[in-house]
Amino acid sequence: MDVSHILEHLNDAQRQAVTAPNQSLLVLAGAGSGKTRVLVHRIAWLIQVEGLSPHSVMAVTFTNKAASEMRGRIEDLLAMPAAGLWVGTFHGLSHRLLRRHWQEAKLPQGFQILDSEDQLRLVKRVLKGLELDESRWPPRQAQHFINGQKDKGLRPQHLDDSGDPVNRQLIRIYSAYEAACNRAGVVDFAELLLRSLELLRDNKELLDHYQSRFRHLLVDEFQDTNELQYAWLRLIAGARTPVFAVGDDDQSIYGWRGAKIENIQNFQKDFPGTEVVRLEQNYRSTGAILQAANALIEHNEGRLGKELWTADEEGEAVSLYTAYDERDEARFVADQVRDWYEQGNRRSEIAVLYRSNAQSRVFEETFIAMGIPYRVYGGLRFFERAEIKDALAYLRLVANKDDDTSFERVVNQPTRGIGERTIALIRDSARANDQSLHQAAIDLVTGTGLAARARTAVAGFLTLIKELTEVCVGLPLHEQVEHMLEHSGLKEHYGKDKSEKAQSRVENLEELVSAARGFRLDPEEHGDMDELTAFLSHAALEAGEGQGDPWEDCVQMMTLHSAKGLEFPKVFLCGMEEGLFPHRMSIEEGGRLEEERRLCYVGITRARQKLYITCTERRRLYGSETYNAPSRFIGEIPGELLEEIRPRLATSEPLYRPSALQDDGVEGFQIGQRVVHAKFGEGMITNHEGQGSSARVQVNFEGAGSKWLVLAYANLQAV
DNA sequence: GCGACATTGTTTTTT
DNA sequence: ACAATGTCGC
C-alpha cells in the first residue's frame, strides 16, 4: 500500500514521532508546531502501516471540539470512516465505559449526568438536609472540595479529618452528597472518571479486556491532565500498551483547576523507555512574534526547554499602544479593525484577547457604536440555558423518577401552586423514608399528610409526569420533546410573556425540538441506551455552542484561556497591566506568576502575522478608578522587538498612584491579616471600606463566619 | 408569586 | 460599578 501521503509534508521531528517504534513517546509540541497533525498522522500510520485495527486505538482529548476535529482529520487522511476507533474526551470515553458496564459500576441503567449547576443545587440540598448554614458552609466551597477530592481519586472513606473540625464537616458533606447521588442515580463530571477508573480497577476481567483491546493510547494536551485523568490513562495502558502523549509544558494554563504539569515529568518515569521528541519548528507566526514569545517564556524556571523557530520571515515588529483609559484602548482596536477591513481583509481574521471576561464590555460598546460586527466566545451555552434545563429536567424525570435534582427544578415550574412549604413536606418525608422525592410525593398524595389544596396541586404534577412517561413510549424523540413542551405548560408559560427575553426562550425551546429531531444514536457511543437517555447524556456532555451566526464576518473576542489552540492573522492582546494581567490574585498568591506568563505566551503565539499589545494608564475596575503600571510581561519582551505606537504623551493626565493607599489597607490593618475579636474569636480580614471613624473591615471568623465590623468600635487586635 | 430591596462577589473553564 | 442572587413583605 502506498503510504507516502502519511509522511509527506512532515518535517524530521514530526516524522520521527509519527513513525516511532512500539514504545511510549512524549512529544513536546510547541505552539504552532503541528501537534494535531502529528497525532492524526500517527494514528493513520498505526492503522495503515503497522496494520492495527482502528478497534485497537484510543485517542483522548479534553474538549469535544478537539475530539471531533481529530476524528474528522483521521477519516480524511484514511479516506474512510474509522469505525471502532475510540476518539473522545476523558469524560466521553468514561461515560461510554459506564454505559456498557452499568451493572458492574453499580449504576442504574438510566443514570443521568449532573452538570456543574445541577451539582451545586444538589450540594445545597444536601447542606439543608444536614442542617448546615449556607453562610458558614458556602455551597460553592463544598462543591469545590468534593470535586477536588474526586480529582485526586479519593472517596469520603479515604479521607482523614486530621482533627480539623472544618475538614470533618466537609467530609461529612461529601459523604452525604455521595449518598444523595447514588440514591438519585446521577453522576457528576468527576464521578464519570472516578467511577470508570474504579470499575476497571476492581474488575480484573474488564481491565484485562480493555488493556488487551487497546494496543495504542494517544493523549492530546497532556499538560492539562489532572491526577485522576493520569491515573485513568495509566490503568488503561497497563504494562504493555504504549502511550503517545502530546503536550507543551509552556502552555499549561489550567493548574488552577487541578492540572498537574508534573504529569509530564512523571511520564518518563511511569512509562520506562519513553522517547522524547521535541517539535520546535513553528509554522504559524513570524520571526518577530516568535522571538517575543521565546524571550518572555525564558523568564520561567523549571521548563523542559524548547525554543521555537521559523523558516518564515521576520515580519513586522510587535506594536505597543499605551491608551489613556479603557475606552481609548477600545477605540484604538476598533480603528485598526476598520482600517484592516477597508483594506479588503476579513474582520474574522482579527482576535481581541483579554485576561478576564469583564473586559469585553467596553469593546462591545465601542464596536456597536462603530458598527463593527463581533462575536464573543464563551457565554452561556445552549444546553445550559435556564429554559432548556427546565425542559431537560422534565425529560430526565421521565427517564428516571429518582432524579431529585430534576424533580425539584420543575415541580413548580411553571408555577402550579406547589410552594416551599409543600416541597419541604415532600423533602422531609423522602428523607424519613429514604425515598426519592417522586416516590415520597406519591405516598403523600395517597396518604393524609397534605392539605387539600396542596394535594390537588401535587397530584396534578404527578399525573403530568405519569402521562408524559406513558405517552413517550414509542414516540420519536422529537415528538416526545414536543409533547412535553406542550403538556408541561413550559411553552405556554414563556409564550404568554411578550418580552423579548421570553420570546427568545420560546425560540430556544423550539430549537430543542430541532436538536432532538437531528439527534442520531451512535451504536458505538451509546450502546443499547434508549434514545431519550442518550439524548440527555449528549446534552450534559456537550453543552453546545454559545452563540449562533459563526459565519458572519465578525471580530473574534475571547479570553486568553479560550484562545488556546486557535490562531489568527492579527491579534490584539489587551489590558496588559499589572493587576489585570498578571492578575492581582496571581501576584498575591505566590507561585502563580509562571502560569500567568504561560498564559501570555499562549496569547502571543496565537498571532500569525501581526501582534498588538495594549495597556491603559487608568482603568475603571470594580467600580473604582485604578492606575496600573504596564504589565511586567511587556518589559520581558526585548525592546527592539517592540514598536510603540503612541509613546506616553505629556497630554495624558498626571500619574498619581492611589493604589498604594489600597495596599496599605486602613488604620494599620491589611487584607489577609489575622486578627482576634473579644467575642468572635480569631479570623482573617478579607475586605475593607471607608476611612477614619467610619472605616469598616470584613473579617472571616473561624467560629462565627464572616462579619463586617466598624474599626472604631470593634477593638480588633492583630494576631 | 412577584416585585422591591439587600447582599455579595467580581480570573481563568471543560466536561 | 454592576450583575446576580437571596430575602422579605404583600
Side-chain angles (χ1 to χ4, degrees):
Chain A
M1 177 171 212
D2 177 26
V3 292
S4 58
H5 62 287
I6 299 181
L7 297 180
E8 262 170 24
H9 312 298
L10 294 180
N11 65 34
D12 289 347
Q14 290 173 336
R15 188 169 301 151
Q16 190 194 340
V18 167
T19 62
N22 218 350
Q23 68 191 34
S24 288
L25 201 73
L26 177 60
V27 181
L28 295 176
S33 65
K35 169 184 71 103
T36 310
R37 158 174 279 224
V38 164
L39 271 167
V40 166
H41 284 241
R42 171 67 174 176
I43 293 172
W45 173 268
L46 291 174
I47 293 172
Q48 291 196 327
V49 180
E50 304 273 331
L52 240 70
S53 156
H55 186 79
S56 319
V57 179
M58 179 194 276
V60 199
T61 64
F62 275 82
T63 64
N64 292 303
K65 201 172 148 207
S68 58
E69 188 191 334
M70 198 185 296
R71 177 176 283 277
R73 284 175 62 171
I74 291 166
E75 293 181 344
D76 284 351
L77 194 58
L78 295 177
M80 62 172 196
L85 176 71
W86 278 33
V87 184
T89 62
F90 281 100
H91 294 86
L93 297 174
S94 295
H95 174 243
R96 195 183 286 188
L97 286 169
L98 293 179
R99 288 288 175 199
R100 289 190 167 197
H101 309 290
W102 53 274
Q103 282 153 313
E104 294 91 328
K106 301 187 191 67
L107 285 168
Q109 185 166 19
F111 74 86
Q112 292 298 326
I113 301 165
L114 297 184
D115 70 13
S116 326
E117 192 206 336
D118 301 330
Q119 185 187 32
L120 186 64
R121 283 167 187 266
L122 181 51
V123 167
K124 284 183 182 169
R125 281 224 325 278
V126 165
L127 289 170
K128 260 199 204 109
L130 294 172
E131 298 186 322
L132 292 173
D133 179 6
E134 283 197 5
S135 60
R136 285 208 47 203
W137 303 98
R140 283 185 178 286
Q141 234 163 280
Q143 182 186 23
H144 183 248
F145 175 84
I146 292 168
N147 290 335
Q149 299 309 320
K150 288 193 183 189
D151 284 343
K152 284 188 260 172
L154 299 171
R155 295 290 186 190
Q157 63 268 24
H158 301 135
L159 296 171
D160 175 24
D161 60 26
S162 55
D164 177 14
V166 174
N167 243 340
R168 203 182 51 118
Q169 199 65 273
L170 285 171
I171 296 169
R172 227 181 115 217
I173 296 169
Y174 181 9
S175 230
Y177 168 81
E178 208 174 42
C181 284
N182 287 333
R183 223 215 28 232
V186 293
V187 294
D188 58 45
F189 287 136
E191 184 74 24
L192 286 170
L193 278 152
L194 181 50
R195 186 75 75 118
S196 65
L197 178 121
E198 290 169 345
L199 165 73
L200 295 181
R201 191 192 60 198
D202 302 339
N203 288 274
K204 186 80 179 59
E205 277 169 37
L206 279 185
L207 182 62
D208 284 347
H209 169 79
Y210 284 105
Q211 284 185 342
S212 48
R213 165 175 177 169
F214 294 114
R215 299 192 31 218
H216 277 274
L217 225 60
L218 300 94
V219 205
D220 191 15
E221 306 279 14
F222 184 61
Q223 77 283 350
D224 289 337
T225 48
N226 64 26
E227 256 178 76
L228 180 55
Q229 289 158 340
Y230 187 42
W232 189 94
L233 281 174
R234 274 181 313 192
L235 184 66
I236 293 181
R240 297 189 301 275
T241 305
V243 176
F244 189 93
V246 182
D248 180 0
D249 54 320
D250 291 332
Q251 290 189 71
S252 158
I253 56 174
Y254 287 110
W256 54 274
R257 64 172 199 213
K260 285 265 181 287
I261 232 184
E262 296 92 314
N263 289 345
I264 293 194
Q265 278 116 29
N266 292 336
F267 188 81
Q268 295 179 67
K269 266 185 279 157
D270 293 330
F271 295 92
T274 294
E275 285 256 353
V276 179
V277 176
R278 286 184 163 73
L279 304 184
E280 297 177 299
Q281 180 172 4
N282 174 293
Y283 295 95
R284 180 186 294 158
S285 312
T286 64
I289 291 167
L290 286 187
Q291 286 166 44
N294 281 333
L296 176 93
I297 203 68
E298 274 286 296
H299 289 81
N300 272 1
E301 281 169 23
R303 299 174 54 220
L304 294 175
K306 209 170 6 67
E307 180 144 306
L308 294 178
W309 61 276
T310 177
D312 205 2
E313 55 197 31
E314 180 72 10
E316 280 179 57
V318 177
S319 292
L320 173 65
Y321 180 75
T322 308
Y324 172 57
D325 61 12
E326 72 272 18
R327 320 201 103 249
D328 182 30
E329 179 185 48
R331 233 174 286 126
F332 167 74
V333 175
D335 280 344
Q336 301 294 316
V337 173
R338 202 184 42 196
D339 290 352
W340 175 256
Y341 183 68
E342 282 172 359
Q343 286 159 25
N345 302 296
R346 297 178 60 78
R347 285 181 286 248
S348 58
E349 292 174 331
I350 298 180
V352 178
L353 308 182
Y354 36 79
R355 175 68 236 262
S356 65
N357 284 309
Q359 285 168 256
S360 76
R361 242 187 59 188
V362 187
F363 287 104
E364 291 186 65
E365 286 166 7
T366 311
F367 289 159
I368 289 171
M370 291 181 57
I372 297 173
Y374 62 87
R375 179 166 185 230
V376 183
Y377 280 75
L380 248 202
R381 277 138 0 125
F382 182 72
F383 286 113
E384 290 168 358
R385 290 165 205 261
E387 63 277 16
I388 299 299
K389 294 210 68 176
D390 289 343
L392 293 176
Y394 276 103
L395 296 174
R396 285 165 72 138
L397 267 184
V398 166
N400 170 11
K401 302 284 173 294
D402 295 337
D403 187 339
D404 290 354
T405 307
S406 297
F407 184 96
E408 286 217 27
R409 182 168 185 118
V410 291
V411 67
N412 201 33
Q413 170 69 16
T415 50
R416 47 174 72 85
I418 304 177
E420 246 332 285
R421 285 208 64 106
T422 311
I423 295 173
L425 280 174
I426 299 174
R427 237 185 252 133
D428 289 346
S429 159
R431 193 171 312 128
N433 302 309
D434 194 28
Q435 297 169 313
S436 66
L437 294 174
H438 182 260
Q439 188 56 48
I442 290 175
D443 291 358
L444 275 176
V445 164
T446 44
T448 54
L450 288 177
R453 202 174 190 172
R455 172 182 301 154
T456 319
V458 175
F461 177 69
L462 292 172
T463 313
L464 168 67
I465 297 299
K466 187 153 170 259
E467 190 260 342
L468 290 179
T469 311
E470 285 162 2
V471 170
C472 281
V473 177
L475 271 190
L477 183 63
H478 72 274
E479 285 180 32
Q480 295 181 32
V481 177
E482 237 167 356
H483 182 89
M484 177 275 301
L485 288 177
E486 295 302 335
H487 289 76
S488 65
L490 263 187
K491 202 165 179 180
E492 192 195 348
H493 170 71
Y494 289 118
K496 68 186 177 205
D497 185 338
K498 289 295 167 221
S499 72
E500 208 164 301
K501 203 168 186 177
Q503 288 314 304
S504 93
R505 296 198 146 151
V506 175
E507 281 166 26
N508 285 332
L509 289 173
E510 278 156 4
E511 187 59 38
L512 183 66
V513 178
S514 310
R517 195 180 284 119
F519 181 73
R520 290 285 166 272
L521 265 180
D522 168 6
E524 178 104 48
E525 169 86 43
H526 300 110
D528 53 4
M529 291 159 76
D530 65 89
E531 227 184 351
L532 179 57
T533 306
F535 180 63
L536 291 170
S537 303
H538 164 81
L541 285 172
E542 295 192 42
E545 276 290 301
Q547 303 173 337
D549 298 339
W551 301 117
E552 201 189 345
D553 182 23
C554 293
V555 179
Q556 314 287 303
M557 299 170 55
M558 67 197 82
T559 63
L560 287 157
H561 283 89
S562 356
K564 190 163 91 159
L566 305 177
E567 59 176 45
F568 308 90
K570 222 172 167 72
V571 166
F572 290 85
L573 211 46
C574 302
M576 289 279 285
E577 296 139 48
E578 284 292 299
L580 242 194
F581 190 30
H583 196 275
R584 250 187 77 172
M585 306 249 189
S586 302
I587 298 174
E588 284 162 9
E589 241 178 277
R592 298 189 49 184
L593 256 169
E594 297 217 334
E595 184 157 309
E596 294 279 305
R597 190 174 283 112
R598 292 194 290 268
L599 192 54
C600 186
Y601 176 79
V602 167
I604 294 175
T605 52
R606 297 312 94 195
R608 291 168 67 103
Q609 294 163 15
K610 177 73 190 179
L611 175 67
Y612 293 86
I613 290 176
T614 65
C615 59
T616 67
E617 288 178 354
R618 78 172 196 185
R619 174 184 297 274
R620 206 158 239 303
L621 200 61
Y622 302 140
S624 50
E625 206 93 311
T626 54
Y627 294 80
N628 298 321
S631 170
R632 68 191 71 189
F633 299 147
I634 296 177
E636 292 171 2
I637 299 172
E640 65 269 21
L641 296 172
L642 287 173
E643 167 206 54
E644 288 212 44
I645 291 191
R646 193 208 73 160
R648 288 169 175 260
L649 295 176
T651 51
S652 70
E653 284 207 333
L655 281 183
Y656 96 109
R657 298 183 183 278
S659 58
L661 260 183
Q662 291 173 3
D663 290 348
D664 280 353
V666 272
E667 322 289 331
F669 289 104
Q670 298 180 4
I671 288 176
Q673 188 178 356
R674 299 194 58 82
V675 291
V676 63
H677 181 273
K679 197 157 114 217
F680 301 132
E682 209 171 292
M684 188 175 82
I685 296 188
T686 55
N687 204 352
H688 66 79
E689 65 179 29
Q691 265 129 50
S693 61
S694 66
R696 301 194 309 148
V697 292
Q698 189 179 35
V699 186
N700 193 11
F701 290 104
E702 254 119 66
S706 191
K707 301 242 182 289
W708 275 101
L709 301 167
V710 177
L711 269 182
Y713 305 112
N715 192 23
L716 290 176
Q717 304 294 321
V719 174

